[in-house]
């Protein structure tokens, strides 16, 4: 590979190592990439591996999704890959992108672009470009503005992306103002890359993000949601979240997070609720067993959003936030709906926020077996996440208190395991089903059956499993009390 722009002398040794690493990564996929490149060349067109694929190769993390750019238009691309690709999809055709699969690799081939925003619309206006240099200049960041030509492996880096990878810095090919003016979502993407790659944004980029934060309002909720989800699932979400708050971007789509900076927690510690929240997110990440658990991370992020609205100062000067979990659950549901998250995801995060305080008080010895059953029943399949969220929420610097809270929760989990071994806590249901209720009471399907089922479930939670005779006797007792039978 040959560089299109020479790196600084001080970077030569590290960058040479990076290039060697990139060559090794590219050789892994080169049989398919080079074969595709030869097909385009024979058809009289260019093909370049580009963007995130080149960046990830330099970082030693190239996956099975490869991005290419070409001077061929979509119809021509289809003709070139037809009969060669194992499968083809055209979902991105309106943006000049054709997708294909070959030998386990997913390939996206996009026509050179010179797209821009008209400063009013929420979606890009796609205009095909005519050269690789033009295409690279319109990309979001220098680390994504490098290319490897195929099949000759010529390396093109007109904006110093290789040096920026070495320096772990996020810059734009054009001025930040021009780049963010074209696509304001790039400001959020800068924070996302900071979280994913553990890179710092250049001071000029940070300034433009701050000055242009309001431009994010031009972007659809769905595009913001997708970028934010990637940020929160990054290797270092805390860095990304701080960027959102510090630049004012969070205020445009997640103002509850910024609002936490105004509150001091109920323990009158030096940390405000915002800092506590970031620590809880960090703790939650450490409890993940495999990959990103977005539901857990989002619940950790939003678990205290109800505090600003419930803050009260007592006569002794202590701060309290009574019922903030109830208010927080309501705010969480509304915010995630506004961000267009799926209902199922929203429901799970909301439930965790509502339940995150339930454990406190357990250590005082006030919980009966009935309370434990209700804890498990209310959490349902969210119980493993609730365990992690509750433990993550312990951020006290008081070692004795932290140790006591951990011991208390260990005791609760042990108690849950003991009761679960004796009863079927995974499925806390009444001891009689609907058919048995209808047969015993002689009633048809309807509200009466629902009421009876609910009563028996309450008995199950309160007293544990009943045998068949005891369950039937309890149902008849309830029916008589309700005037349903004599």
């Amino acid at each position: 590979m040959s560089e299109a722009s020479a790196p600084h002398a001080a970077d030569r040794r590290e960058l040479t190592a990076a290039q060697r690493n990139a060559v090794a990564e590219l050789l892994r996929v080169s049989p398919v990439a080079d074969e595709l490149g030869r097909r385009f060349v024979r058809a009289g067109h260019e093909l370049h591996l580009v963007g995130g694929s080149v960046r990830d190769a330099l970082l030693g993390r190239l996956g099975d999704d490869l991005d290419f750019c070409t001077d061929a238009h979509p119809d021509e691309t289809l003709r070139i890959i037809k009969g060669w690709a194992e499968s083809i999809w055209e979902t991105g055709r309106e943006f000049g992108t054709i997708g294909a699969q070959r030998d386990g690799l997913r390939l996206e081939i996009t026509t050179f672009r010179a797209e821009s925003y008209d400063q009013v619309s929420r979606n890009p206006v796609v205009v095909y470009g005519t050269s690789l240099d033009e295409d690279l200049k319109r990309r979001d960041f220098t680390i994504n503005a490098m290319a490897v030509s195929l099949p000759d492996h010529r390396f093109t880096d007109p904006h110093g992306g290789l040096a920026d990878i070495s320096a772990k810095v996020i810059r734009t090919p054009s001025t930040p103002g021009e780049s963010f003016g074209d696509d304001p979502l790039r400001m959020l993407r800068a924070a996302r890359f900071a979280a994913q790659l553990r890179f710092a944004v250049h001071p000029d980029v940070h300034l433009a993000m701050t000055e242009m934060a309001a431009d994010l309002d031009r972007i659809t909720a769905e595009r913001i949601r997708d970028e934010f989800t990637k940020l929160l699932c990054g290797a270092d979400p805390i860095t990304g979240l701080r960027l959102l708050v510090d630049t004012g971007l969070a205020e445009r789509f997640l103002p509850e997070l910024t609002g936490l900076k105004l509150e001091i927690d109920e323990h009158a510690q030096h940390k405000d609720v915002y800092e506590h929240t970031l620590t809880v997110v960090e703790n939650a990440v450490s409890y993940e067993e495999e990959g990103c658990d977005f539901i857990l991370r989002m619940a950790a992020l939003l678990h205290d959003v109800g505090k600003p609205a419930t803050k009260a100062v007592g006569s002794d000067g202590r701060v309290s936030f009574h019922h903030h979990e109830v208010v927080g659950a309501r705010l969480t549901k509304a915010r995630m709906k506004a961000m267009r998250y799926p209902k199922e995801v929203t429901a799970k995060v909301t439930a965790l926020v509502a339940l995150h305080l339930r454990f406190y008080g357990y250590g005082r010895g006030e919980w009966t077996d009935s309370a434990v059953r209700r804890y498990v029943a209310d959490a349902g399949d969210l119980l493993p996440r609730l365990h992690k969220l509750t433990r993550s929420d312990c951020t006290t610097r008081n070692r004795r208190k932290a140790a006591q809270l951990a011991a208390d929760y260990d005791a609760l989990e042990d108690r849950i395991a003991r009761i679960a071994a004796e009863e079927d806590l995974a499925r806390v249901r009444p001891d009689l089903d609907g058919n048995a209720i209808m047969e015993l009471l002689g009633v048809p399907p309807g509200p009466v059956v629902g009421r009876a089922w609910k009563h028996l479930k309450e008995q199950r939670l309160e007293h544990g499993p009943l045998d068949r005779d005891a369950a039937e006797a309890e149902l008849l007792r309830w029916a008589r009390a309700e005037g349903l039978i004599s």
Side-chain angles (χ1 to χ4, degrees), residues 319-358:
V319 177
S320 64
F321 302 96
H322 295 307
H323 306 302
H324 75 266
E325 74 281 10
V326 177
V327 175
R330 186 175 70 247
L331 293 173
T332 295
K333 182 178 181 180
R335 179 53 56 195
M336 293 189 69
K337 180 179 179 181
M339 293 178 70
R340 303 291 194 271
Y341 278 103
K343 290 182 179 179
E344 180 180 358
V345 173
T346 298
K348 290 180 178 180
V349 175
T350 300
L352 286 171
V353 172
L355 291 169
H356 84 274
L357 277 187
R358 183 76 69 85

Side-chain angles (χ1 to χ4, degrees), residues 39-94:
R39 294 181 71 89
F40 273 79
V41 169
R42 284 197 298 267
H45 291 290
E46 304 172 28
L47 186 72
H48 312 274
L49 190 68
V50 72
S53 295
V54 177
R55 178 200 71 225
D56 288 345
L58 289 164
L59 291 169
R61 47 181 281 176
L62 183 63
D64 296 327
D65 294 336
L66 305 180
D67 297 323
F68 301 87
C69 67
T70 178
D71 59 339
H73 286 198
D75 286 342
E76 297 168 288
T77 294
L78 284 169
R79 282 195 292 270
I80 292 170
I81 66 175
K82 187 176 181 180
W84 175 82
E86 295 163 356
S87 61
I88 296 173
W89 55 93
E90 302 180 45
T91 51
R93 185 183 182 125
E94 64 177 308

Side-chain angles (χ1 to χ4, degrees), residues 1 5 26 49 56 104 127 184 210 244 259 271 306 328 345 355-356 363 371 379 381 394 403-404 429 439 449 467:
M1 293 183 186
S5 60
L26 290 171
L49 190 68
D56 288 345
V127 178
T210 304
L244 295 182
K271 294 184 300 183
V345 173
L355 291 169
H356 84 274
D381 60 4
C394 176
Q404 184 61 56
R429 301 177 61 80
E439 180 180 353
V449 178
D467 61 30

Side-chain angles (χ1 to χ4, degrees), residues 55-314:
R55 178 200 71 225
D56 288 345
L58 289 164
L59 291 169
R61 47 181 281 176
L62 183 63
D64 296 327
D65 294 336
L66 305 180
D67 297 323
F68 301 87
C69 67
T70 178
D71 59 339
H73 286 198
D75 286 342
E76 297 168 288
T77 294
L78 284 169
R79 282 195 292 270
I80 292 170
I81 66 175
K82 187 176 181 180
W84 175 82
E86 295 163 356
S87 61
I88 296 173
W89 55 93
E90 302 180 45
T91 51
R93 185 183 182 125
E94 64 177 308
F95 299 109
T97 299
I98 300 297
Q101 182 165 322
R102 173 84 176 191
D103 292 350
L105 299 173
R106 287 174 56 88
L107 320 171
E108 288 202 341
I109 308 161
T110 303
T111 304
F112 290 153
R113 292 196 298 209
E115 69 183 30
S116 64
Y117 282 67
D118 61 10
Q119 309 299 315
V120 176
S121 69
R122 292 182 164 206
N123 292 306
V125 177
V126 176
V127 178
Y128 292 145
T130 58
S131 71
L132 175 62
D133 284 346
E134 183 181 18
D135 183 273
L136 295 179
K137 184 177 181 180
R138 58 151 287 278
R139 291 183 177 268
D140 51 6
F141 305 109
T142 59
I143 59 174
N144 297 329
M146 298 173 285
V148 176
S149 301
L150 300 167
D152 62 345
H153 290 191
R154 177 172 50 85
F155 185 77
T156 302
D157 179 22
H159 305 289
L162 198 56
D164 286 342
I165 284 180
S166 176
K168 296 186 177 182
V169 65
I170 297 170
R171 289 191 308 115
T172 54
S174 57
T175 67
E178 290 175 316
S179 181
F180 298 156
D182 280 346
D183 184 354
L185 187 67
R186 289 173 174 172
M187 295 185 286
L188 185 52
R189 196 173 294 144
R192 187 250 288 187
F193 281 124
Q196 286 183 329
L197 304 177
R198 301 181 187 274
F199 281 19
V201 298
H202 189 276
D204 291 345
V205 173
H206 191 287
L207 178 62
M209 291 167 68
T210 304
E211 293 179 341
M212 302 177 67
D215 285 12
L216 194 64
D217 296 348
R218 291 163 39 201
I219 305 301
T220 62
E222 290 81 2
R223 294 184 73 209
I224 292 174
R225 174 202 64 205
D226 292 346
E227 282 296 327
F228 177 74
T229 299
K230 293 174 184 176
L231 182 158
L232 194 59
C233 280
D236 181 17
I238 306 306
T239 291
L241 293 169
R242 287 193 186 280
L243 264 173
L244 295 182
V245 172
D246 293 347
T247 59
L249 286 167
E251 189 67 30
R252 313 314 304 184
F253 69 95
L254 191 59
E256 293 84 359
L257 178 58
T258 304
L260 295 178
K261 295 193 73 170
L262 305 178
E263 306 300 334
I264 303 298
D265 70 20
E266 63 265 49
H267 306 294
Q269 295 174 336
H270 70 281
K271 294 184 300 183
D272 58 23
V273 178
Y274 169 71
E275 290 295 337
H276 163 75
T277 294
L278 296 184
T279 302
V280 174
V281 173
E282 192 171 34
N283 290 345
V285 172
S286 72
Y287 280 114
E288 291 174 343
E289 298 167 4
E290 184 177 346
C292 170
D293 185 343
F294 171 77
I295 290 171
L296 175 62
R297 293 192 187 195
M298 193 66 166
L301 182 67
L302 300 178
H303 78 285
D304 274 349
V305 294
K307 282 190 171 179
T310 57
K311 179 180 178 180
V313 181

